């Protein structure tokens, strides 16, 4: 599948100059989003995807671009288990609010492995391990920061 979207987000503020002062001009941004994905179904379900998000702004340092590649594989395993492995890598250029990245797993590079074991027709036991990584882009005066988080979970899921 493929999709393209564009937009002109509205802001009530004014564009900033390189000095950080207001330019007196209204801020104008242009948003472009493009996405491609391909999936194969069968005993081994595979999916690959690429997405691109670009924000072009007339406000100093508010331009950004994000490229994201993702791969996923799901399969039935012995002992009635289901396994899933998913990996995503992304490259960010320009300014992105670090708080948004740190709070949104979809905005981070990651590797996730999950095992599910059906207890009943509607209840599964699940074990999941994930590693999330961000290499935050540096800006003048602000050093780049790397972020690494590992998460392991055990739980139950319901199918409806």
């Amino acid at each position: 599948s493929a999709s393209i979207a564009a937009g002109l987000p509205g802001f009530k503020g004014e564009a900033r100059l390189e000095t950080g002062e207001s330019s007196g001009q209204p801020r104008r941004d242009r948003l472009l989003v493009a996405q491609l994905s391909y999936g194969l179904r069968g005993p081994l379900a595979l999916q690959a995807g690429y997405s691109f998000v670009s924000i072009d702004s007339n406000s100093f340092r508010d331009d950004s671009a994000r490229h994201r590649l993702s791969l996923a594989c799901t399969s039935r395993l012995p002992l009635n288990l289901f396994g899933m492995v998913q990996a995503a890598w992304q490259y960010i250029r320009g300014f992105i609010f670090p708080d948004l990245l740190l709070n949104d797993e979809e905005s981070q590079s990651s590797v996730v492995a999950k095992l599910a074991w059906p207890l009943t027709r509607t209840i599964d036991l699940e074990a999941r391990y994930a590693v999330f990584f961000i290499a935050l882009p540096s800006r003048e005066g602000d050093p780049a920061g790397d972020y690494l988080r590992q998460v392991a979970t055990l739980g139950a899921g319901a199918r409806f």
Side-chain angles (χ1 to χ4, degrees):
S1 69
S3 66
I4 295 178
L8 298 170
F11 293 95
K12 293 185 179 188
E14 295 181 346
R16 289 179 291 134
L17 299 171
E18 188 173 346
T19 61
E21 299 173 357
S22 174
S23 68
Q25 300 290 322
R27 179 174 168 167
R28 289 184 303 276
D29 290 0
R30 290 181 296 271
L31 172 69
L32 174 67
V33 179
Q35 183 174 321
L36 293 170
S37 65
Y38 184 75
L40 294 172
R41 303 208 187 274
L44 187 66
L46 300 170
Q47 185 173 8
Y50 169 77
S51 65
F52 173 73
V53 177
S54 173
I55 298 174
D56 182 33
S57 178
N58 68 337
S59 189
F60 182 68
R61 283 195 186 166
D62 286 343
D63 294 338
S64 68
R66 181 178 84 173
H67 301 269
R68 182 176 175 85
L69 278 171
S70 61
L71 298 169
C73 176
T74 303
S75 179
R76 182 181 293 264
L77 302 171
L79 303 174
N80 204 25
L81 291 170
F82 283 91
M84 185 271 297
V85 176
Q86 180 179 354
W89 172 84
Q90 84 180 353
Y91 169 75
I92 299 170
R93 179 195 53 77
F95 180 69
I96 305 277
F97 288 106
D99 290 346
L100 294 176
L101 291 176
L102 298 178
N103 293 321
D104 180 13
E105 291 178 353
E106 293 291 321
S107 295
Q108 302 171 15
S109 297
S110 61
V111 176
V112 179
K114 182 169 121 176
L115 283 175
W117 180 54
L119 284 177
T120 69
R121 293 184 66 191
T122 57
I123 304 291
D124 293 344
L125 285 181
E126 296 181 356
R128 179 179 180 256
Y129 177 74
V131 177
F132 300 96
F133 177 76
I134 302 172
L136 295 173
S138 62
R139 296 176 63 176
E140 289 181 30
D142 293 333
D146 291 343
Y147 171 81
L148 178 71
R149 180 177 63 163
Q150 299 180 54
V151 179
T153 58
L154 292 173
R159 287 173 290 183
F160 298 98

